[in-house]
Amino acid sequence: MRIHCKVVALAVSLGVFLLFYFFGGNAADEPPPLSAVQEQDRKLPSFPSASGKLVSVEVFKPPEIPKQIRPSRKEGYRGVNSSSKLRQKSAPGQSGVKVPRVEDIMHLAVVACGNRLEETLTMVKSALLFSIKKIKFHIFAEEELAKQFEKELSRWPQPLSSKLQYALYPITFSVGNAEEWKKLFKPCAAQRLFLPVILKDVDSLLYVDTDVLFLRPMDDIWKFLKAFNSTQLAAMAPEHEIPKIGWYSRFARHPFYGVTGVNSGVMLMNLTRIRSTLFKNSMITSGLSWEDLLHPLYQKYKNHITWGDQDLLNIIFHYNPECLYTFPCQWNYRPDHCMYGSNCKGAEEEGVSILHGNRGVYHDDKQPAFKVVYDSIRNYPVGENLFQSLFSPLQTKFLDTVNTLCGRVPQVFMKQIEKTMKAAFEQKVVRHGRPLRRQRR
């Protein structure tokens, strides 16, 4: 009897084991369903419309999902490791893989016409040398100049070309007479007014003139976007720090922003907000969209403006002051800040962040301090040691300018770029270097 009971119990146990084996094994063999993000990644990447010619682009692909293998004891558990990340639950409709966001790319626009090829290339070079995040350059140029850009950029060495992403666009004006807009101030400068209309897929953007040089990462001025309040949609620096020697406060025949006006050579913009805002104006009682405002504003003030598109921007923000954020003068440092005596305190304390060589000072001997910085960046051999091949020659050449109007305050030009190079050195050498292993006794 006892033997019979044991046989029955053994048979029941075997049956239960086989059931678990078949049902559990089949379920484990089925592949997990694709999440919404993974399904999207299988589609082909989209490219810009015909308004811009995409010359170089990097397509971001999410990394492959690693197998969930339990780490050995040798690997240890330092902070949050890859296995613990995999065990975290994903939000509905999302995979556990980190997909690069649009905000991880900064956008920079420049408009180049005439003989501005070398100047623009030097600006792009300065931005790439120091910036941390990726930059997408939007270059607006005449047809012949666009071909030269394509030719020159294709020759750049790998350390820069690997980081370079850009698109070329023709010079276009969506409203009014194109020839009038082209001749408004410098050739094609009015193109910057139409960036919100043309770059409809870009959320935020930094516009700079061709004669601008970055002496620190572009990432730092990009952070001002987060400082905007709920009504601000653009940022510029004052045209001058002292009203009694400022141009707008003395000579302007039209409304302008604040006490001294603003300079549009470095302009940070939230294009999404600009496109969705109705702007107050002096022409009609109701607000006008950005695109609808530009041409009637030009028609009203065209006989009273001297600095073209910059004057129109000053008029717009005179009537909409709550829309503008003003950043300090060291982010748009011009000869005006030193040729009448040093009047940019921020630059004296922190050094110049962005150098703006207007008045053609990069190409003549009127302000040698500006020219020395420009020549040093232009002539720097990419890939060589920054201190030895850029900062050291710049420091030596700057000694020849200390008796000039702007060169007499050398710390203004040298302080920030020295900080930037030290930070770049620490990023590449110190932080990425392997720690020395302790010798076993």
Side-chain angles (χ1 to χ4, degrees), residues 56 58 121-131 135 137 153 155-166 377-378 380-383 386 428:
S56 175
E58 275 188 65
L121 291 174
T122 306
M123 180 278 292
V124 173
K125 183 179 181 181
S126 72
L128 290 175
L129 279 176
F130 304 128
S131 292
I135 307 174
F137 294 89
L153 291 172
R155 297 175 177 176
W156 277 18
Q158 196 273 337
L160 285 187
S161 62
S162 61
K163 299 165 60 178
L164 181 62
Q165 188 178 114
Y166 69 98
I377 294 177
R378 182 195 61 187
Y380 164 68
V382 176
L386 281 171
K428 292 180 180 179

Side-chain angles (χ1 to χ4, degrees), residues 27 68 140 145 151 188 207 217 248 257 280 285 312 340 431:
Q68 298 189 28
F140 292 79
L145 194 58
K151 180 180 177 181
C188 309
Y207 166 85
Y248 283 106
Y257 176 86
K280 299 187 290 291
T285 54
L312 294 180
Y340 305 115
R431 295 179 186 175

Side-chain angles (χ1 to χ4, degrees), residues 33-83:
L34 285 173
S35 67
V37 175
Q38 290 170 295
E39 190 67 42
Q40 183 66 28
D41 290 334
R42 297 175 66 183
K43 298 178 181 179
L44 292 174
S46 59
F47 293 90
S49 63
S51 60
K53 180 181 179 183
L54 190 64
V55 180
S56 175
V57 66
E58 275 188 65
V59 179
F60 293 100
K61 296 180 180 179
E64 293 183 1
I65 302 176
K67 295 181 180 179
Q68 298 189 28
I69 301 175
R70 185 177 181 179
S72 65
R73 291 183 180 179
K74 293 181 180 179
E75 293 174 6
Y77 291 87
R78 187 179 300 170
V80 181
N81 59 27
S82 58
S83 296

Side-chain angles (χ1 to χ4, degrees), residues 216-248:
R216 68 188 292 177
M218 177 183 155
D219 308 62
D220 295 335
I221 192 171
W222 194 255
K223 292 175 184 176
F224 280 115
L225 287 167
K226 294 182 179 179
F228 286 10
N229 63 26
S230 59
T231 62
Q232 290 167 340
L233 44 76
M236 287 182 277
E239 171 67 21
H240 217 287
E241 303 301 303
I242 304 174
K244 65 180 181 181
I245 58 176
W247 192 91
Y248 283 106

Side-chain angles (χ1 to χ4, degrees), residues 333 338-339 366-370 398-414:
Y333 190 87
C338 51
M339 60 191 293
K366 293 179 180 178
Q367 297 298 339
F370 281 78
F398 208 88
L399 293 174
D400 298 330
T401 73
V402 293
N403 294 322
T404 64
L405 290 172
C406 290
R408 58 190 169 185
V409 280
Q411 74 276 12
V412 167
F413 291 83
M414 306 301 294

Side-chain angles (χ1 to χ4, degrees), residues 21-39:
Y21 177 79
F22 284 111
F23 285 98
N26 290 339
D29 292 339
E30 291 178 4
L34 285 173
S35 67
V37 175
Q38 290 170 295
E39 190 67 42

Side-chain angles (χ1 to χ4, degrees), residues 159-207:
L160 285 187
S161 62
S162 61
K163 299 165 60 178
L164 181 62
Q165 188 178 114
Y166 69 98
L168 290 168
Y169 303 81
I171 302 296
T172 54
F173 303 97
S174 58
V175 294
N177 187 306
E179 290 304 315
E180 274 191 296
W181 285 118
K182 282 184 180 180
K183 298 174 183 177
L184 182 57
F185 182 50
K186 292 180 181 179
C188 309
Q191 181 71 75
R192 84 185 80 180
L193 296 173
F194 295 86
L195 296 178
V197 180
I198 297 170
L199 302 176
K200 293 182 179 179
D201 296 329
V202 177
D203 175 68
S204 296
L205 178 85
L206 177 66
Y207 166 85

